[in-house]
Amino acid sequence: MQILRNIIYGLLPRPRLSATSVGGAPSAAKRLLVLSRYPNPSVSYYLDERTKALANIPVIMKGLDEGLEDLDSEGLFVIICRYIKEPQLRWLEDRRRSLAGVAYFVDDDIPAVVAGDEATWPYKFTLFNLAVRPLPRVNRLLTHLWTSTETLADTLSDAHQKIAILAPMPATLEGRSSEIAGEASTSLKMVYHGTGVHRREHEFLMPIVKTAMDKHSNLHFEVFAEGSLARQWGRQEIEQRRMTISPPLPWASYLARTTDHGADIALAPLLIGKTNDSRSDTKRIDISRMGAAAIFSRCPTFSRCAVAGELHIGNTAEEWLMAIDQLVGDRDRRLIARNATVKSIEKMRQSTTAAFPGIRFDVLGDIA
């Protein structure tokens, strides 16, 4: 079966710059259009803060089902964030000569997700329909190609590709961490907010969480899961009153929930694999928003913006249980870990730039 998955992975199209864009001088852009399945985490993590920095440039955000007929294409630079549908793609094709450029941004190895064995079939269908099938036509339009990590760029690159890195740029966070850490409470909330794409991480955590919950009666555990994963969590024989299994939320609802409802401990495992190897460390942003003390897998993804005081451990049950024990039993250690991840968000901001790579704007000049 793995051989078949590898064949499928190799056959699926990748984003590629058009032959005419290689070596060409980009036109100056007067306006910016972002096409996305909006709102979504990719826009929040990578694009929102950068568009806010374009104070003198009109920025237009369009969801995939919104029409573009009312837009002036002259001098318009277009960012396709992961997905596009036929009507918008046809609009771009009809106006390609008047556009200032077209960039494609991707923050996942989408062929690896489609060919892999973790994502659900409905999610794979969505990815194939919105992100894979349009690529041959999208590629003929592209003047810029951006990925979220160097690893993903290496996966997609060839001798003719010029792929720029658009690293996460989080918003400045409020000071929830110190507030929550200062509260005296005998009850602690531990969370795992991995999506269904992280099936292996869910299954890795199940026996660990079961053991931790049996040992620490003051823990309440929250996990987002649906379908077979939710049923697996329900079979762990954890006291129902001490565990919440919630279905995954739409992005806007998830933002609101994690802003309004914090956590004490957040689990952030990441196992070795083709899909995970290309991921960025945006999970830090969610954890900081909740004001939680995190436990991270020791891996290249989370080492990128690591700071002293964070907990980074190997992917063994023993190490994860020891780390949970440490955070449950030591309030000061939780505070240190929480504040460290807040600092890592600032490091994340400082390690990138607000510029969109390679775009020249009429008003601001060349900011790349």
Side-chain angles (χ1 to χ4, degrees), residues 92-150:
L92 295 179
E93 290 171 333
D94 291 343
R95 293 158 179 81
R96 62 186 303 176
R97 295 186 182 279
S98 61
L99 297 173
V102 179
Y104 182 77
F105 171 68
V106 63
D107 55 347
D108 267 327
D109 187 347
I110 291 177
V113 178
V114 173
D117 61 355
E118 293 191 72
T120 63
W121 284 106
Y123 184 60
K124 288 184 180 185
F125 177 78
T126 297
L127 286 180
F128 184 81
N129 196 40
L130 299 181
V132 176
R133 191 173 66 174
L135 271 182
R137 291 170 62 186
V138 168
N139 288 346
R140 291 194 286 270
L141 301 172
L142 293 186
T143 57
H144 298 68
L145 180 53
W146 305 330
T147 66
S148 54
T149 67
E150 294 281 358

Side-chain angles (χ1 to χ4, degrees), residues 180-195:
I180 294 180
E183 294 174 358
S185 175
T186 56
S187 178
L188 297 175
K189 179 180 176 182
M190 183 169 70
V191 302
Y192 176 57
H193 288 174
T195 64

Side-chain angles (χ1 to χ4, degrees), residues 265-288:
I265 299 169
L267 308 180
L270 200 63
L271 304 181
I272 294 172
K274 191 185 295 289
T275 305
N276 284 345
D277 290 348
S278 297
R279 294 191 188 280
S280 70
D281 53 342
T282 52
K283 181 52 63 179
R284 276 195 170 95
I285 303 172
D286 299 331
I287 290 169
S288 292

Side-chain angles (χ1 to χ4, degrees), residues 54-359:
L54 299 176
N56 298 317
I57 298 295
V59 177
I60 307 148
M61 308 288 288
K62 290 282 189 177
L64 297 186
D65 293 316
E66 294 186 75
L68 306 180
E69 292 76 16
D70 59 331
L71 298 183
D72 179 5
S73 62
E74 189 66 38
L76 183 69
F77 192 97
V78 182
I79 299 174
I80 301 171
C81 181
R82 292 175 61 104
Y83 309 125
I84 193 168
K85 285 188 174 181
E86 166 69 23
Q88 293 180 344
L89 179 53
R90 189 168 58 249
W91 189 92
L92 295 179
E93 290 171 333
D94 291 343
R95 293 158 179 81
R96 62 186 303 176
R97 295 186 182 279
S98 61
L99 297 173
V102 179
Y104 182 77
F105 171 68
V106 63
D107 55 347
D108 267 327
D109 187 347
I110 291 177
V113 178
V114 173
D117 61 355
E118 293 191 72
T120 63
W121 284 106
Y123 184 60
K124 288 184 180 185
F125 177 78
T126 297
L127 286 180
F128 184 81
N129 196 40
L130 299 181
V132 176
R133 191 173 66 174
L135 271 182
R137 291 170 62 186
V138 168
N139 288 346
R140 291 194 286 270
L141 301 172
L142 293 186
T143 57
H144 298 68
L145 180 53
W146 305 330
T147 66
S148 54
T149 67
E150 294 281 358
T151 303
L152 184 54
D154 290 343
T155 299
L156 298 177
S157 66
D158 60 31
H160 303 290
Q161 293 278 82
K162 184 180 180 182
I163 300 178
I165 307 303
L166 197 71
M169 188 171 186
T172 302
L173 295 169
E174 299 297 329
R176 173 200 284 276
S177 176
S178 298
E179 255 178 48
I180 294 180
E183 294 174 358
S185 175
T186 56
S187 178
L188 297 175
K189 179 180 176 182
M190 183 169 70
V191 302
Y192 176 57
H193 288 174
T195 64
V197 175
H198 292 279
R199 174 173 292 276
R200 291 191 303 144
E201 282 79 13
H202 277 270
E203 294 175 344
F204 169 75
L205 284 178
M206 287 174 186
I208 294 170
V209 170
K210 162 64 175 170
T211 300
M213 296 295 287
D214 286 346
K215 183 174 182 180
H216 302 288
S217 60
N218 62 328
L219 271 183
H220 184 279
F221 180 64
E222 176 183 88
V223 63
F224 285 87
E226 62 184 343
S228 61
L229 273 179
R231 292 190 291 273
Q232 282 179 266
W233 276 110
R235 290 195 292 266
Q236 297 307 305
E237 297 182 351
I238 297 169
E239 285 184 75
Q240 288 188 5
R241 66 181 182 86
R242 295 173 54 218
M243 179 166 72
T244 302
I245 304 173
S246 298
L249 299 173
W251 178 244
S253 300
Y254 180 74
L255 276 178
R257 177 154 170 176
T258 52
T259 300
D260 297 338
H261 303 283
D264 297 287
I265 299 169
L267 308 180
L270 200 63
L271 304 181
I272 294 172
K274 191 185 295 289
T275 305
N276 284 345
D277 290 348
S278 297
R279 294 191 188 280
S280 70
D281 53 342
T282 52
K283 181 52 63 179
R284 276 195 170 95
I285 303 172
D286 299 331
I287 290 169
S288 292
R289 190 188 312 115
M290 290 185 285
I295 304 174
F296 296 105
S297 285
R298 186 183 299 117
C299 61
T301 294
F302 288 130
S303 68
R304 188 179 77 93
C305 290
V307 300
E310 288 185 322
L311 272 172
H312 294 254
I313 59 174
N315 286 326
T316 67
E318 293 76 16
E319 289 183 71
W320 278 81
L321 285 167
M322 286 177 61
I324 292 172
D325 288 348
Q326 185 179 7
L327 291 182
V328 170
D330 190 337
R331 185 165 165 267
D332 289 339
R333 186 65 184 92
R334 291 199 303 274
L335 176 59
I336 291 169
R338 285 165 171 160
N339 289 344
T341 298
V342 171
K343 291 177 183 176
S344 77
I345 298 301
E346 186 55 33
K347 182 177 180 180
M348 191 181 292
R349 287 180 60 85
Q350 293 174 356
S351 65
T352 188
T353 171
F356 286 105
I359 306 181

